Protein backbone atom coordinates (compact mmCIF):
# COMPACT_ATOMS: atom_id res chain seq x y z
CA UNK A 1 0.00 0.00 0.00
CA UNK A 2 1.63 3.23 -1.17
CA UNK A 3 -0.67 5.43 0.94
CA UNK A 4 -2.40 7.04 -2.04
CA UNK A 5 -6.02 8.10 -2.06
CA UNK A 6 -8.01 9.70 -4.84
CA UNK A 7 -11.18 11.72 -4.57
CA UNK A 8 -13.80 11.55 -5.74
CA UNK A 9 -13.81 7.90 -6.81
CA UNK A 10 -16.68 8.47 -9.22
CA UNK A 11 -17.99 11.65 -10.82
CA UNK A 12 -20.55 12.47 -13.47
CA UNK A 13 -20.51 15.97 -14.86
CA UNK A 14 -21.73 17.93 -17.83
CA UNK A 15 -19.80 19.28 -20.79
CA UNK A 16 -18.34 22.70 -20.12
CA UNK A 17 -18.18 22.44 -16.34
CA UNK A 18 -14.90 22.62 -14.40
CA UNK A 19 -13.78 19.50 -12.59
CA UNK A 20 -10.99 18.97 -10.06
CA UNK A 21 -9.65 15.59 -9.07
CA UNK A 22 -7.51 15.20 -5.99
CA UNK A 23 -4.65 12.85 -5.27
CA UNK A 24 -3.42 12.63 -1.70
CA UNK A 25 -0.37 10.75 -0.42
CA UNK A 26 0.76 10.21 3.13
CA UNK A 27 4.47 9.44 2.68
CA UNK A 28 5.92 12.74 1.38
CA UNK A 29 7.05 11.37 -1.97
CA UNK A 30 8.51 14.01 -4.23
CA UNK A 31 7.29 12.61 -7.55
CA UNK A 32 3.59 12.41 -8.41
CA UNK A 33 1.84 11.66 -11.70
CA UNK A 34 -1.59 11.81 -13.32
CA UNK A 35 -2.58 9.27 -15.97
CA UNK A 36 -5.73 8.49 -17.87
CA UNK A 37 -6.71 5.00 -18.94
CA UNK A 38 -8.76 4.42 -22.05
CA UNK A 39 -9.57 1.27 -24.01
CA UNK A 40 -7.04 0.72 -26.78
CA UNK A 41 -4.60 3.23 -25.30
CA UNK A 42 -3.42 1.79 -22.02
CA UNK A 43 -2.30 4.42 -19.52
CA UNK A 44 -1.17 7.79 -20.82
CA UNK A 45 0.65 10.42 -18.81
CA UNK A 46 -1.15 13.75 -18.44
CA UNK A 47 1.09 15.76 -16.10
CA UNK A 48 3.66 15.03 -13.46
CA UNK A 49 5.25 16.84 -10.53
CA UNK A 50 8.76 16.65 -9.15
CA UNK A 51 8.14 18.86 -6.12
CA UNK A 52 5.95 21.57 -4.66
CA UNK A 53 5.05 24.00 -7.44
CA UNK A 54 7.20 22.01 -9.91
CA UNK A 55 5.15 20.38 -12.64
CA UNK A 56 5.58 19.39 -16.25
CA UNK A 57 3.46 18.17 -19.14
CA UNK A 58 3.05 14.60 -20.22
CA UNK A 59 1.89 12.97 -23.40
CA UNK A 60 -1.77 14.12 -23.30
CA UNK A 61 -1.79 17.39 -21.36
CA UNK A 62 -4.11 19.45 -23.57
CA UNK A 63 -7.26 20.45 -21.69
CA UNK A 64 -5.75 19.69 -18.28
CA UNK A 65 -3.93 21.72 -15.67
CA UNK A 66 -2.35 20.67 -12.39
CA UNK A 67 -1.30 22.24 -9.15
CA UNK A 68 0.84 21.12 -6.26
CA UNK A 69 0.90 23.58 -3.37
CA UNK A 70 1.67 20.91 -0.76
CA UNK A 71 3.83 17.80 -0.98
CA UNK A 72 0.92 15.54 -0.16
CA UNK A 73 -1.64 16.83 -2.67
CA UNK A 74 -1.58 16.84 -6.47
CA UNK A 75 -4.68 18.29 -8.12
CA UNK A 76 -5.81 17.70 -11.69
CA UNK A 77 -8.22 20.26 -13.16
CA UNK A 78 -10.32 20.09 -16.28
CA UNK A 79 -11.14 23.75 -16.87
CA UNK A 80 -14.05 22.96 -19.18
CA UNK A 81 -14.82 19.27 -19.36
CA UNK A 82 -15.49 17.63 -22.73
CA UNK A 83 -16.91 14.21 -23.54
CA UNK A 84 -13.47 13.12 -24.78
CA UNK A 85 -12.24 13.47 -21.21
CA UNK A 86 -14.52 10.68 -20.04
CA UNK A 87 -11.98 8.24 -18.68
CA UNK A 88 -10.53 6.58 -15.62
CA UNK A 89 -7.88 8.76 -14.00
CA UNK A 90 -5.04 7.33 -11.96
CA UNK A 91 -2.61 9.08 -9.72
CA UNK A 92 0.81 7.57 -9.06
CA UNK A 93 3.83 8.27 -6.91
CA UNK A 94 7.45 7.35 -7.39
CA UNK A 95 9.68 7.11 -4.32
CA UNK A 96 12.92 9.02 -4.72
CA UNK A 97 15.72 6.70 -5.75
CA UNK A 98 13.25 4.19 -7.17
CA UNK A 99 12.38 3.59 -10.80
CA UNK A 100 8.96 2.19 -9.92
CA UNK A 101 5.62 3.97 -9.81
CA UNK A 102 2.82 3.01 -7.45
CA UNK A 103 -0.77 3.78 -8.29
CA UNK A 104 -3.86 4.99 -6.48
CA UNK A 105 -7.29 3.37 -6.83
CA UNK A 106 -8.50 5.62 -9.67
CA UNK A 107 -11.33 8.06 -10.36
CA UNK A 108 -13.97 7.23 -12.94
CA UNK A 109 -15.09 10.45 -14.64
CA UNK A 110 -18.03 10.62 -17.00
CA UNK A 111 -18.66 13.81 -18.97
CA UNK A 112 -22.14 13.95 -20.47
CA UNK B 1 2.64 6.60 -32.09
CA UNK B 2 2.64 3.87 -29.45
CA UNK B 3 6.19 3.35 -28.18
CA UNK B 4 5.24 0.29 -26.13
CA UNK B 5 3.00 -2.30 -27.71
CA UNK B 6 1.16 -5.34 -26.45
CA UNK B 7 -0.21 -6.99 -29.54
CA UNK B 8 -2.32 -9.62 -27.80
CA UNK B 9 -5.41 -8.07 -26.21
CA UNK B 10 -6.30 -11.31 -24.48
CA UNK B 11 -4.89 -14.68 -23.46
CA UNK B 12 -6.50 -17.77 -21.94
CA UNK B 13 -4.49 -20.42 -20.12
CA UNK B 14 -5.34 -23.53 -18.12
CA UNK B 15 -4.57 -23.47 -14.43
CA UNK B 16 -1.13 -24.89 -13.72
CA UNK B 17 0.24 -24.14 -17.19
CA UNK B 18 2.58 -21.34 -18.19
CA UNK B 19 1.28 -17.92 -19.19
CA UNK B 20 3.48 -15.88 -21.50
CA UNK B 21 2.66 -12.24 -22.04
CA UNK B 22 4.59 -10.28 -24.64
CA UNK B 23 5.55 -6.66 -25.10
CA UNK B 24 7.47 -4.83 -27.81
CA UNK B 25 8.98 -1.37 -27.74
CA UNK B 26 10.39 0.98 -30.33
CA UNK B 27 12.52 3.44 -28.37
CA UNK B 28 16.06 2.13 -27.90
CA UNK B 29 16.62 4.70 -25.15
CA UNK B 30 14.36 2.81 -22.74
CA UNK B 31 16.45 1.38 -19.91
CA UNK B 32 13.91 0.22 -17.37
CA UNK B 33 10.91 -1.99 -17.89
CA UNK B 34 8.04 -2.92 -15.61
CA UNK B 35 4.98 -5.13 -15.51
CA UNK B 36 1.80 -4.15 -13.72
CA UNK B 37 -1.26 -6.19 -12.93
CA UNK B 38 -4.70 -4.62 -12.80
CA UNK B 39 -7.95 -5.93 -11.44
CA UNK B 40 -11.27 -4.26 -12.38
CA UNK B 41 -12.05 -1.08 -10.43
CA UNK B 42 -8.57 -1.02 -8.86
CA UNK B 43 -5.33 0.77 -9.64
CA UNK B 44 -2.47 -1.05 -11.36
CA UNK B 45 -0.25 -2.99 -8.98
CA UNK B 46 3.49 -3.26 -9.55
CA UNK B 47 4.51 -6.83 -10.31
CA UNK B 48 8.11 -7.06 -11.46
CA UNK B 49 10.74 -4.98 -13.24
CA UNK B 50 13.99 -5.33 -15.11
CA UNK B 51 16.85 -3.02 -15.91
CA UNK B 52 18.34 -2.97 -19.38
CA UNK B 53 21.64 -4.27 -18.00
CA UNK B 54 19.95 -7.60 -17.29
CA UNK B 55 18.18 -10.08 -19.52
CA UNK B 56 16.20 -11.90 -16.86
CA UNK B 57 14.63 -11.16 -13.50
CA UNK B 58 12.72 -13.64 -11.40
CA UNK B 59 10.36 -13.24 -8.46
CA UNK B 60 8.58 -16.36 -7.34
CA UNK B 61 6.23 -17.52 -10.08
CA UNK B 62 6.97 -14.45 -12.21
CA UNK B 63 9.93 -14.07 -14.56
CA UNK B 64 10.58 -11.22 -16.95
CA UNK B 65 12.86 -11.69 -19.94
CA UNK B 66 14.38 -8.83 -21.90
CA UNK B 67 15.76 -9.12 -25.42
CA UNK B 68 17.27 -5.74 -26.20
CA UNK B 69 18.30 -6.55 -29.74
CA UNK B 70 14.72 -7.48 -30.58
CA UNK B 71 13.27 -4.72 -28.38
CA UNK B 72 11.06 -7.32 -26.79
CA UNK B 73 10.18 -8.34 -23.27
CA UNK B 74 8.01 -11.08 -21.94
CA UNK B 75 6.43 -12.04 -18.64
CA UNK B 76 6.23 -15.71 -17.73
CA UNK B 77 3.89 -16.90 -15.00
CA UNK B 78 4.48 -20.47 -13.85
CA UNK B 79 2.30 -22.11 -12.69
CA UNK B 80 -0.69 -19.97 -13.60
CA UNK B 81 -3.43 -19.65 -11.00
CA UNK B 82 -7.03 -18.41 -11.29
CA UNK B 83 -6.13 -15.41 -9.12
CA UNK B 84 -3.71 -14.33 -11.85
CA UNK B 85 -6.68 -13.45 -14.06
CA UNK B 86 -6.30 -9.72 -14.63
CA UNK B 87 -5.11 -7.18 -17.18
CA UNK B 88 -1.33 -6.95 -17.45
CA UNK B 89 0.41 -3.79 -18.60
CA UNK B 90 4.03 -3.49 -19.57
CA UNK B 91 5.73 -0.14 -19.19
CA UNK B 92 9.07 1.42 -20.06
CA UNK B 93 11.04 4.44 -18.99
CA UNK B 94 14.43 6.01 -19.58
CA UNK B 95 16.87 8.46 -18.05
CA UNK B 96 15.24 10.15 -15.08
CA UNK B 97 12.24 7.87 -15.14
CA UNK B 98 9.81 10.77 -15.09
CA UNK B 99 8.04 9.63 -18.21
CA UNK B 100 6.70 6.10 -18.25
CA UNK B 101 5.16 4.67 -21.40
CA UNK B 102 2.57 1.95 -21.09
CA UNK B 103 1.31 -0.71 -23.45
CA UNK B 104 -2.39 -1.21 -24.09
CA UNK B 105 -2.65 -4.24 -21.84
CA UNK B 106 -3.30 -7.97 -22.17
CA UNK B 107 -6.27 -9.52 -20.41
CA UNK B 108 -5.23 -12.88 -18.95
CA UNK B 109 -7.83 -15.47 -18.03
CA UNK B 110 -6.68 -18.54 -16.13
CA UNK B 111 -9.22 -21.31 -16.46
CA UNK B 112 -9.60 -23.60 -13.42
Amino acid sequence: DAGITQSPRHKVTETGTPVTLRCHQTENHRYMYWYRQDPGHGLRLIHYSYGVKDTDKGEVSDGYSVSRSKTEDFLLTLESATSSQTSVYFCAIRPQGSDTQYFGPGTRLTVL
Amino acid sequence: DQQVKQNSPSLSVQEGRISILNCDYTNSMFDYFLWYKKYPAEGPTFLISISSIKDKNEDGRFTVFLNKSAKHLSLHIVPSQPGDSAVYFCAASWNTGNQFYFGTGTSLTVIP
Side-chain angles (χ1 to χ4, degrees), chain A residues 49-101:
Chain A
S49 171
Y50 43 95
V52 172
K53 296 192 185 342
D54 291 324
T55 64
D56 207 345
K57 296 179 179 180
E59 186 184 358
V60 290
S61 59
D62 287 348
Y64 301 94
S65 62
V66 290
S67 66
R68 190 155 178 216
S69 58
K70 298 184 292 183
T71 300
E72 59 265 35
D73 288 324
F74 192 28
L75 304 181
L76 177 70
T77 297
L78 291 66
E79 301 290 348
S80 177
T82 67
S83 58
S84 65
Q85 294 175 312
T86 292
S87 187
V88 181
Y89 291 86
F90 290 102
C91 174
I93 60 93
R94 179 170 68 86
Q96 192 149 1
S98 169
D99 291 313
T100 302
Q101 293 183 336

Short mmCIF file of all heavy atoms in Angstrom, two decimals, chain A residues 49-101:
data_model
loop_
_atom_site.label_atom_id
_atom_site.label_comp_id
_atom_site.label_asym_id
_atom_site.label_seq_id
_atom_site.Cartn_x
_atom_site.Cartn_y
_atom_site.Cartn_z
N SER A 49 4.67 15.84 -11.43
CA SER A 49 5.25 16.84 -10.53
C SER A 49 6.49 16.26 -9.88
O SER A 49 6.50 15.09 -9.47
CB SER A 49 4.23 17.23 -9.46
OG SER A 49 4.84 18.04 -8.47
N TYR A 50 7.52 17.09 -9.78
CA TYR A 50 8.76 16.65 -9.15
C TYR A 50 9.05 17.47 -7.89
O TYR A 50 10.18 17.52 -7.42
CB TYR A 50 9.94 16.68 -10.12
CG TYR A 50 10.01 17.89 -11.01
CD1 TYR A 50 10.78 18.99 -10.65
CD2 TYR A 50 9.30 17.94 -12.20
CE1 TYR A 50 10.85 20.11 -11.46
CE2 TYR A 50 9.35 19.07 -13.02
CZ TYR A 50 10.13 20.15 -12.64
OH TYR A 50 10.18 21.25 -13.45
N GLY A 51 8.03 18.13 -7.38
CA GLY A 51 8.14 18.86 -6.12
C GLY A 51 7.05 19.89 -6.03
O GLY A 51 6.30 20.14 -6.99
N VAL A 52 6.96 20.52 -4.85
CA VAL A 52 5.95 21.57 -4.66
C VAL A 52 6.15 22.67 -5.70
O VAL A 52 7.26 23.17 -5.88
CB VAL A 52 6.03 22.13 -3.23
CG1 VAL A 52 5.12 23.34 -3.08
CG2 VAL A 52 5.67 21.06 -2.22
N LYS A 53 5.09 22.97 -6.39
CA LYS A 53 5.05 24.00 -7.44
C LYS A 53 5.87 23.66 -8.68
O LYS A 53 6.02 24.50 -9.58
CB LYS A 53 5.48 25.37 -6.90
CG LYS A 53 4.56 25.94 -5.83
CD LYS A 53 4.86 27.38 -5.55
CE LYS A 53 4.07 28.02 -4.42
NZ LYS A 53 2.87 27.39 -3.97
N ASP A 54 6.42 22.45 -8.75
CA ASP A 54 7.20 22.01 -9.91
C ASP A 54 6.42 20.94 -10.66
O ASP A 54 6.27 19.81 -10.17
CB ASP A 54 8.56 21.45 -9.48
CG ASP A 54 9.48 22.50 -8.94
OD1 ASP A 54 9.45 23.63 -9.47
OD2 ASP A 54 10.22 22.20 -8.00
N THR A 55 5.94 21.33 -11.85
CA THR A 55 5.15 20.38 -12.64
C THR A 55 5.60 20.44 -14.09
O THR A 55 6.23 21.41 -14.53
CB THR A 55 3.65 20.68 -12.55
OG1 THR A 55 3.39 21.97 -13.14
CG2 THR A 55 3.16 20.68 -11.11
N ASP A 56 5.24 19.40 -14.84
CA ASP A 56 5.58 19.39 -16.25
C ASP A 56 4.52 18.59 -17.00
O ASP A 56 3.76 17.81 -16.41
CB ASP A 56 6.96 18.77 -16.47
CG ASP A 56 7.63 19.30 -17.73
OD1 ASP A 56 6.92 19.91 -18.59
OD2 ASP A 56 8.84 19.09 -17.89
N LYS A 57 4.48 18.82 -18.32
CA LYS A 57 3.46 18.17 -19.14
C LYS A 57 3.87 16.76 -19.53
O LYS A 57 5.05 16.46 -19.71
CB LYS A 57 3.22 18.98 -20.41
CG LYS A 57 2.66 20.37 -20.16
CD LYS A 57 2.48 21.12 -21.46
CE LYS A 57 1.90 22.50 -21.22
NZ LYS A 57 1.72 23.24 -22.49
N GLY A 58 2.84 15.93 -19.70
CA GLY A 58 3.05 14.60 -20.22
C GLY A 58 2.57 14.51 -21.65
O GLY A 58 2.44 15.50 -22.36
N GLU A 59 2.25 13.30 -22.02
CA GLU A 59 1.89 12.97 -23.40
C GLU A 59 0.56 13.57 -23.85
O GLU A 59 0.38 13.94 -25.01
CB GLU A 59 1.84 11.44 -23.49
CG GLU A 59 1.62 10.83 -24.85
CD GLU A 59 1.49 9.32 -24.73
OE1 GLU A 59 1.63 8.75 -23.62
OE2 GLU A 59 1.25 8.68 -25.78
N VAL A 60 -0.42 13.68 -22.93
CA VAL A 60 -1.77 14.12 -23.30
C VAL A 60 -2.24 15.23 -22.37
O VAL A 60 -3.27 15.13 -21.72
CB VAL A 60 -2.75 12.93 -23.30
CG1 VAL A 60 -2.47 11.97 -24.43
CG2 VAL A 60 -2.74 12.19 -21.96
N SER A 61 -1.52 16.33 -22.32
CA SER A 61 -1.79 17.39 -21.36
C SER A 61 -2.83 18.42 -21.81
O SER A 61 -3.34 19.18 -20.98
CB SER A 61 -0.49 18.12 -21.03
OG SER A 61 0.07 18.67 -22.21
N ASP A 62 -3.17 18.43 -23.09
CA ASP A 62 -4.11 19.45 -23.57
C ASP A 62 -5.46 19.31 -22.88
O ASP A 62 -6.04 18.23 -22.81
CB ASP A 62 -4.30 19.32 -25.09
CG ASP A 62 -3.11 19.80 -25.87
OD1 ASP A 62 -2.23 20.43 -25.26
OD2 ASP A 62 -3.05 19.54 -27.09
N GLY A 63 -5.96 20.45 -22.37
CA GLY A 63 -7.26 20.45 -21.69
C GLY A 63 -7.18 20.19 -20.20
O GLY A 63 -8.21 20.19 -19.53
N TYR A 64 -5.96 19.97 -19.70
CA TYR A 64 -5.75 19.69 -18.28
C TYR A 64 -4.74 20.66 -17.69
O TYR A 64 -3.79 21.05 -18.37
CB TYR A 64 -5.21 18.27 -18.08
CG TYR A 64 -6.07 17.15 -18.61
CD1 TYR A 64 -5.85 16.63 -19.88
CD2 TYR A 64 -7.10 16.61 -17.83
CE1 TYR A 64 -6.62 15.60 -20.36
CE2 TYR A 64 -7.87 15.56 -18.32
CZ TYR A 64 -7.62 15.07 -19.59
OH TYR A 64 -8.38 14.04 -20.06
N SER A 65 -4.94 20.99 -16.42
CA SER A 65 -3.93 21.72 -15.67
C SER A 65 -3.76 21.03 -14.33
O SER A 65 -4.63 20.27 -13.89
CB SER A 65 -4.32 23.19 -15.49
OG SER A 65 -5.51 23.29 -14.73
N VAL A 66 -2.63 21.29 -13.68
CA VAL A 66 -2.35 20.67 -12.39
C VAL A 66 -1.81 21.72 -11.43
O VAL A 66 -1.33 22.77 -11.85
CB VAL A 66 -1.34 19.51 -12.50
CG1 VAL A 66 -1.94 18.30 -13.21
CG2 VAL A 66 -0.07 19.96 -13.18
N SER A 67 -1.91 21.39 -10.16
CA SER A 67 -1.30 22.24 -9.15
C SER A 67 -0.81 21.37 -8.00
O SER A 67 -1.42 20.33 -7.68
CB SER A 67 -2.28 23.29 -8.64
OG SER A 67 -3.34 22.69 -7.95
N ARG A 68 0.28 21.83 -7.43
CA ARG A 68 0.84 21.12 -6.26
C ARG A 68 1.38 22.17 -5.30
O ARG A 68 2.51 22.61 -5.42
CB ARG A 68 1.94 20.16 -6.68
CG ARG A 68 2.37 19.25 -5.53
CD ARG A 68 2.95 17.99 -6.04
NE ARG A 68 3.40 17.14 -4.97
CZ ARG A 68 4.47 16.39 -5.05
NH1 ARG A 68 5.20 16.38 -6.16
NH2 ARG A 68 4.82 15.61 -4.03
N SER A 69 0.53 22.56 -4.35
CA SER A 69 0.90 23.58 -3.37
C SER A 69 1.42 22.94 -2.08
O SER A 69 2.05 23.63 -1.26
CB SER A 69 -0.29 24.49 -3.07
OG SER A 69 -1.37 23.71 -2.59
N LYS A 70 1.16 21.66 -1.91
CA LYS A 70 1.67 20.91 -0.76
C LYS A 70 2.23 19.59 -1.26
O LYS A 70 1.74 19.04 -2.25
CB LYS A 70 0.55 20.63 0.25
CG LYS A 70 -0.08 21.85 0.83
CD LYS A 70 -1.11 21.48 1.91
CE LYS A 70 -2.32 20.79 1.33
NZ LYS A 70 -3.35 20.51 2.37
N THR A 71 3.21 19.06 -0.57
CA THR A 71 3.83 17.80 -0.98
C THR A 71 2.79 16.70 -1.13
O THR A 71 2.85 15.90 -2.06
CB THR A 71 4.90 17.36 0.03
OG1 THR A 71 5.91 18.35 0.10
CG2 THR A 71 5.52 16.03 -0.38
N GLU A 72 1.83 16.67 -0.20
CA GLU A 72 0.92 15.54 -0.16
C GLU A 72 -0.23 15.58 -1.15
O GLU A 72 -0.89 14.57 -1.36
CB GLU A 72 0.35 15.38 1.26
CG GLU A 72 -0.40 16.58 1.77
CD GLU A 72 0.47 17.50 2.61
OE1 GLU A 72 1.68 17.63 2.29
OE2 GLU A 72 -0.05 18.09 3.57
N ASP A 73 -0.48 16.72 -1.78
CA ASP A 73 -1.64 16.83 -2.67
C ASP A 73 -1.24 17.24 -4.08
O ASP A 73 -0.48 18.20 -4.28
CB ASP A 73 -2.64 17.86 -2.13
CG ASP A 73 -3.38 17.36 -0.90
OD1 ASP A 73 -3.66 16.14 -0.84
OD2 ASP A 73 -3.66 18.18 -0.01
N PHE A 74 -1.81 16.54 -5.05
CA PHE A 74 -1.58 16.84 -6.47
C PHE A 74 -2.96 16.90 -7.12
O PHE A 74 -3.67 15.90 -7.14
CB PHE A 74 -0.72 15.74 -7.09
CG PHE A 74 -0.17 16.06 -8.45
CD1 PHE A 74 0.09 17.36 -8.86
CD2 PHE A 74 0.13 15.03 -9.34
CE1 PHE A 74 0.63 17.63 -10.11
CE2 PHE A 74 0.66 15.29 -10.60
CZ PHE A 74 0.91 16.59 -10.98
N LEU A 75 -3.35 18.09 -7.59
CA LEU A 75 -4.68 18.29 -8.12
C LEU A 75 -4.66 18.33 -9.64
O LEU A 75 -3.77 18.95 -10.25
CB LEU A 75 -5.26 19.61 -7.60
CG LEU A 75 -5.32 19.80 -6.08
CD1 LEU A 75 -5.93 21.14 -5.74
CD2 LEU A 75 -6.09 18.68 -5.43
N LEU A 76 -5.63 17.68 -10.23
CA LEU A 76 -5.81 17.70 -11.69
C LEU A 76 -7.11 18.42 -11.99
O LEU A 76 -8.17 18.05 -11.46
CB LEU A 76 -5.88 16.27 -12.24
CG LEU A 76 -6.14 16.13 -13.74
CD1 LEU A 76 -4.91 16.59 -14.54
CD2 LEU A 76 -6.49 14.68 -14.09
N THR A 77 -7.04 19.47 -12.84
CA THR A 77 -8.22 20.26 -13.16
C THR A 77 -8.53 20.21 -14.65
O THR A 77 -7.64 20.38 -15.48
CB THR A 77 -8.03 21.73 -12.73
OG1 THR A 77 -7.89 21.78 -11.31
CG2 THR A 77 -9.24 22.57 -13.13
N LEU A 78 -9.80 19.95 -14.93
CA LEU A 78 -10.32 20.09 -16.28
C LEU A 78 -11.08 21.40 -16.28
O LEU A 78 -12.12 21.53 -15.63
CB LEU A 78 -11.26 18.93 -16.62
CG LEU A 78 -10.69 17.53 -16.78
CD1 LEU A 78 -10.13 16.96 -15.47
CD2 LEU A 78 -11.75 16.59 -17.33
N GLU A 79 -10.55 22.40 -16.94
CA GLU A 79 -11.14 23.75 -16.87
C GLU A 79 -12.56 23.78 -17.44
O GLU A 79 -13.44 24.46 -16.93
CB GLU A 79 -10.26 24.75 -17.60
CG GLU A 79 -8.84 24.86 -17.07
CD GLU A 79 -8.75 25.52 -15.70
OE1 GLU A 79 -9.77 26.10 -15.25
OE2 GLU A 79 -7.67 25.45 -15.07
N SER A 80 -12.75 23.03 -18.52
CA SER A 80 -14.05 22.96 -19.18
C SER A 80 -14.17 21.56 -19.76
O SER A 80 -13.67 21.28 -20.84
CB SER A 80 -14.15 24.03 -20.27
OG SER A 80 -15.38 23.93 -20.95
N ALA A 81 -14.82 20.69 -19.00
CA ALA A 81 -14.82 19.27 -19.36
C ALA A 81 -15.49 19.01 -20.71
O ALA A 81 -16.49 19.64 -21.07
CB ALA A 81 -15.54 18.47 -18.27
N THR A 82 -14.92 18.07 -21.45
CA THR A 82 -15.49 17.63 -22.73
C THR A 82 -15.74 16.12 -22.66
O THR A 82 -15.15 15.41 -21.84
CB THR A 82 -14.54 17.93 -23.89
OG1 THR A 82 -13.37 17.12 -23.77
CG2 THR A 82 -14.13 19.40 -23.91
N SER A 83 -16.57 15.63 -23.56
CA SER A 83 -16.91 14.21 -23.54
C SER A 83 -15.67 13.34 -23.80
O SER A 83 -15.59 12.20 -23.33
CB SER A 83 -17.99 13.90 -24.58
OG SER A 83 -17.57 14.29 -25.87
N SER A 84 -14.69 13.88 -24.51
CA SER A 84 -13.47 13.12 -24.78
C SER A 84 -12.61 12.93 -23.53
O SER A 84 -11.65 12.14 -23.55
CB SER A 84 -12.63 13.81 -25.86
OG SER A 84 -12.17 15.07 -25.40
N GLN A 85 -12.95 13.63 -22.47
CA GLN A 85 -12.24 13.47 -21.21
C GLN A 85 -12.90 12.46 -20.27
O GLN A 85 -12.45 12.26 -19.15
CB GLN A 85 -12.07 14.83 -20.52
CG GLN A 85 -11.15 15.77 -21.30
CD GLN A 85 -11.06 17.15 -20.72
OE1 GLN A 85 -12.09 17.78 -20.40
NE2 GLN A 85 -9.85 17.66 -20.58
N THR A 86 -13.96 11.83 -20.76
CA THR A 86 -14.52 10.68 -20.04
C THR A 86 -13.46 9.59 -20.01
O THR A 86 -12.97 9.17 -21.06
CB THR A 86 -15.79 10.17 -20.74
OG1 THR A 86 -16.81 11.15 -20.61
CG2 THR A 86 -16.25 8.85 -20.13
N SER A 87 -13.10 9.16 -18.80
CA SER A 87 -11.98 8.24 -18.68
C SER A 87 -11.87 7.80 -17.22
O SER A 87 -12.60 8.26 -16.35
CB SER A 87 -10.68 8.93 -19.11
OG SER A 87 -9.60 8.02 -19.16
N VAL A 88 -10.92 6.91 -16.98
CA VAL A 88 -10.53 6.58 -15.62
C VAL A 88 -9.17 7.24 -15.38
O VAL A 88 -8.24 7.05 -16.16
CB VAL A 88 -10.44 5.06 -15.39
CG1 VAL A 88 -10.05 4.78 -13.95
CG2 VAL A 88 -11.77 4.40 -15.72
N TYR A 89 -9.09 8.00 -14.31
CA TYR A 89 -7.88 8.76 -14.00
C TYR A 89 -7.16 8.13 -12.82
O TYR A 89 -7.75 7.87 -11.78
CB TYR A 89 -8.24 10.21 -13.69
CG TYR A 89 -8.73 10.95 -14.91
CD1 TYR A 89 -10.08 10.89 -15.30
CD2 TYR A 89 -7.85 11.68 -15.71
CE1 TYR A 89 -10.52 11.55 -16.43
CE2 TYR A 89 -8.30 12.33 -16.84
CZ TYR A 89 -9.63 12.26 -17.20
OH TYR A 89 -10.07 12.92 -18.33
N PHE A 90 -5.87 7.91 -13.01
CA PHE A 90 -5.04 7.33 -11.96
C PHE A 90 -3.94 8.28 -11.56
O PHE A 90 -3.29 8.90 -12.41
CB PHE A 90 -4.41 6.01 -12.42
CG PHE A 90 -5.38 4.88 -12.57
CD1 PHE A 90 -5.83 4.51 -13.83
CD2 PHE A 90 -5.84 4.20 -11.46
CE1 PHE A 90 -6.73 3.46 -13.97
CE2 PHE A 90 -6.75 3.16 -11.60
CZ PHE A 90 -7.19 2.80 -12.86
N CYS A 91 -3.73 8.36 -10.28
CA CYS A 91 -2.61 9.08 -9.72
C CYS A 91 -1.55 8.06 -9.35
O CYS A 91 -1.86 6.92 -9.00
CB CYS A 91 -3.07 9.84 -8.48
SG CYS A 91 -1.77 10.65 -7.57
N ALA A 92 -0.28 8.46 -9.45
CA ALA A 92 0.81 7.57 -9.06
C ALA A 92 1.88 8.37 -8.35
O ALA A 92 1.99 9.59 -8.52
CB ALA A 92 1.39 6.87 -10.29
N ILE A 93 2.66 7.68 -7.53
CA ILE A 93 3.83 8.27 -6.91
C ILE A 93 5.06 7.46 -7.28
O ILE A 93 4.95 6.30 -7.67
CB ILE A 93 3.68 8.36 -5.37
CG1 ILE A 93 3.49 6.96 -4.75
CG2 ILE A 93 2.52 9.26 -4.98
CD1 ILE A 93 4.76 6.29 -4.31
N ARG A 94 6.19 8.07 -7.19
CA ARG A 94 7.45 7.35 -7.39
C ARG A 94 8.39 7.73 -6.26
O ARG A 94 8.76 8.92 -6.13
CB ARG A 94 8.09 7.68 -8.74
CG ARG A 94 9.41 6.97 -8.98
CD ARG A 94 9.88 7.13 -10.42
NE ARG A 94 10.25 8.49 -10.75
CZ ARG A 94 11.46 9.03 -10.55
NH1 ARG A 94 12.41 8.29 -10.00
NH2 ARG A 94 11.71 10.27 -10.90
N PRO A 95 8.74 6.79 -5.40
CA PRO A 95 9.68 7.11 -4.32
C PRO A 95 11.02 7.56 -4.90
O PRO A 95 11.49 7.03 -5.92
CB PRO A 95 9.83 5.79 -3.58
CG PRO A 95 8.60 5.01 -3.92
CD PRO A 95 8.26 5.41 -5.31
N GLN A 96 11.63 8.54 -4.25
CA GLN A 96 12.92 9.02 -4.72
C GLN A 96 13.95 7.90 -4.64
O GLN A 96 14.00 7.15 -3.68
CB GLN A 96 13.38 10.21 -3.87
CG GLN A 96 14.56 10.94 -4.46
CD GLN A 96 14.56 12.42 -4.13
OE1 GLN A 96 13.67 12.89 -3.43
NE2 GLN A 96 15.54 13.15 -4.62
N GLY A 97 14.73 7.78 -5.70
CA GLY A 97 15.72 6.70 -5.75
C GLY A 97 15.17 5.42 -6.34
O GLY A 97 15.92 4.46 -6.53
N SER A 98 13.89 5.37 -6.59
CA SER A 98 13.25 4.19 -7.17
C SER A 98 12.85 4.49 -8.61
O SER A 98 12.54 5.62 -8.97
CB SER A 98 12.02 3.81 -6.36
OG SER A 98 11.26 2.83 -7.04
N ASP A 99 12.85 3.45 -9.43
CA ASP A 99 12.38 3.59 -10.80
C ASP A 99 10.96 3.08 -10.97
O ASP A 99 10.47 2.95 -12.09
CB ASP A 99 13.29 2.80 -11.75
CG ASP A 99 14.67 3.42 -11.85
OD1 ASP A 99 14.73 4.65 -12.03
OD2 ASP A 99 15.66 2.69 -11.73
N THR A 100 10.29 2.81 -9.87
CA THR A 100 8.96 2.19 -9.92
C THR A 100 7.89 3.16 -9.47
O THR A 100 8.06 3.86 -8.48
CB THR A 100 8.94 0.93 -9.04
OG1 THR A 100 9.95 0.03 -9.50
CG2 THR A 100 7.59 0.24 -9.09
N GLN A 101 6.78 3.17 -10.20
CA GLN A 101 5.62 3.97 -9.81
C GLN A 101 4.59 3.09 -9.11
O GLN A 101 4.43 1.92 -9.44
CB GLN A 101 4.97 4.60 -11.04
CG GLN A 101 5.82 5.65 -11.72
CD GLN A 101 5.10 6.29 -12.88
OE1 GLN A 101 4.19 5.72 -13.47
NE2 GLN A 101 5.49 7.51 -13.23
#
